[in-house]
Amino acid sequence: MKNLLTRRTIRKYSDKEVSEELLRRLMTEAARTQTMGNLQLYSVVVTRSDEMKARLAPAHFNQPMVTQAPVVLTICADFHRTTRWCEERKATPGYDNFLSFQNAAIDALLYTQTLCNLMDEEGLGYCYLGTTVYMPQLIIDTLQLPRLVMPVATLTVGWPAEEPPLSDRLPLDSFVHQETYRPYTPEAIDTYYNNKEQLEENRHFCEINHKETLAQIFTDIRYTRKDNEAMSQGLLEALRHQGFMP
């Protein structure tokens, strides 16, 4: 059983199969996680075929683990199923709005995290793909997601074929606030980010990218304003297309 303090993101997988029996058991157990109104506002699309993984890959910038992992799980915020249930039971649903998306997205992400913890316990490796919300319409089209279903998370899953080093984390005091939110002074920023900035790999990132600070790697290269605004527009358009926004 793994400890969360030693959890690693796994991007390389062995050829060993992830059995349907194991995956179904873990997904069933994960369904015991918290959920709004006990409605379980999520769905999971399981992708195993090489053809479908290849079709999904462009939505995730063709990261190799999408096609190499034995299993790809796309976790969706889903108010479609609940809406259909209401319609079939003489009830009038009102879930075609942004609040409903937010509730379903929270449900879906809670389920995702619980599933990740269970996979850790089994020794499975996985990688959480933040790219899911970058080009959601491509995922929607590929997986044929109906109205009121929105992809919010993707996991590539398999048995690990690597043991990468642990990634760094900020100290507890950097993100825990007592009673009220406290402002971050220049001195506090120095204290909380010093270890991250002094890591050899991060200093190397700055050097090879000709940047003065690690923060500039994020603002100028990894997550630029231009890209953020463009992908925000795509996300809003997908939410409208799926019926969560007017």
Side-chain angles (χ1 to χ4, degrees), residues 44-148:
V44 183
V45 180
V46 180
T47 303
R48 288 181 179 272
S49 78
D50 291 339
E51 177 189 355
M52 288 300 293
K53 285 186 283 188
R55 290 176 60 187
L56 279 173
H60 299 289
F61 298 94
N62 291 306
Q63 296 177 85
M65 57 274 196
V66 177
T67 53
Q68 294 173 2
V71 181
V72 177
L73 304 178
T74 305
I75 300 93
C76 303
D78 185 350
F79 245 118
H80 175 79
R81 183 182 64 252
T82 302
T83 294
R84 290 291 300 119
W85 173 58
C86 292
E87 291 170 343
E88 293 295 326
R89 295 297 182 267
K90 301 179 182 179
T92 304
Y95 307 124
D96 52 347
N97 46 67
F98 186 73
L99 178 64
S100 296
F101 165 71
Q102 184 78 350
N103 286 330
I106 291 170
D107 257 25
L109 293 174
L110 285 169
Y111 180 86
T112 301
Q113 185 58 62
T114 301
L115 181 59
C116 287
N117 292 343
L118 292 170
M119 290 193 297
D120 277 324
E121 291 181 0
E122 291 291 335
L124 282 167
Y126 60 85
C127 180
Y128 177 95
L129 302 184
T131 46
T132 306
V133 295
Y134 289 177
M135 290 187 284
Q137 192 60 55
L138 182 53
I139 299 173
I140 290 166
D141 293 341
T142 301
L143 299 181
Q144 301 178 26
L145 303 182
R147 189 173 185 271
L148 300 183

Side-chain angles (χ1 to χ4, degrees), residues 196-213:
K196 179 186 286 288
E197 292 170 334
Q198 295 307 314
L199 289 173
E200 182 60 34
E201 61 265 33
N202 288 338
R203 292 166 65 90
H204 182 61
F205 285 154
C206 293
E207 182 179 333
I208 63 177
N209 288 287
H210 308 291
K211 295 297 178 182
E212 182 180 356
T213 70

Side-chain angles (χ1 to χ4, degrees), residues 2 4 6-10 120 125-126 162-167:
K2 291 185 179 179
L4 274 176
T6 60
R7 190 205 66 80
R8 292 167 166 82
T9 293
I10 301 298
D120 277 324
Y126 60 85
E162 64 171 346
E163 189 173 355
L166 293 175
S167 53

